[in-house]
Amino acid sequence: QVQVVESGGGLVQAGGSLRLSCAASGSIWSINDMGWYRQTPGKQRELVALITRSGSTRYVDSVKGRFTISRDNAMNAVYLQMNRLKPEDTAVYYCNVNTFRGYWGQGTQVTVSS
């Protein structure tokens, strides 16, 4: 009974910024890695950014220098600050929270216009 909820998506112009938030609730003992993934129609879901319990991060090459992932362990939350957005960033963004197993949110739409 773990729930994962994302928020913060929307429509922005190229070069703009968005901050995505994700919070997990329910029967959570501890959380290991947390990450953000994105998916567009007809494409596989890809890892965008990941953060470990200790704060180590990794990013897909296409977002390095533009996106920043962070977490709040006390709140069981993970965030994705997205700057200098590009049209190719348009996708549904999903939060993944890993404890004993992985849990997914419903996704939040990010649309970047030219």
Side-chain angles (χ1 to χ4, degrees):
Q1 299 82 34
V2 175
Q3 297 182 52
V4 178
V5 180
E6 306 101 331
S7 63
L11 174 63
V12 297
Q13 297 182 60
S17 298
L18 283 174
R19 180 177 172 85
L20 305 184
S21 299
C22 171
S25 61
S27 300
I28 302 172
W29 284 43
S30 64
I31 298 176
N32 296 315
D33 298 346
M34 292 189 285
W36 287 96
Y37 295 71
R38 65 187 179 188
Q39 187 170 29
T40 57
K43 296 183 179 180
Q44 296 292 313
R45 189 171 299 183
E46 69 168 348
L47 174 67
V48 177
L50 184 145
I51 185 166
T52 69
R53 186 190 304 172
S54 63
S56 297
T57 60
R58 57 180 285 196
Y59 301 89
V60 67
D61 286 344
S62 60
V63 309
K64 288 181 178 177
R66 299 188 297 119
F67 291 10
T68 302
I69 188 171
S70 61
R71 65 189 286 168
D72 184 337
N73 291 333
M75 297 297 294
N76 293 328
V78 61
Y79 309 93
L80 185 67
Q81 179 66 45
M82 305 185 294
N83 298 325
R84 304 195 305 280
L85 283 161
K86 303 175 180 179
E88 50 262 45
D89 295 319
T90 295
V92 177
Y93 284 71
Y94 296 90
C95 175
N96 180 258
V97 177
N98 291 299
T99 176
F100 183 73
R101 60 172 60 86
Y103 297 92
W104 292 94
Q106 291 294 110
T108 185
Q109 177 70 49
V110 172
T111 303
V112 185
S113 62
S114 300

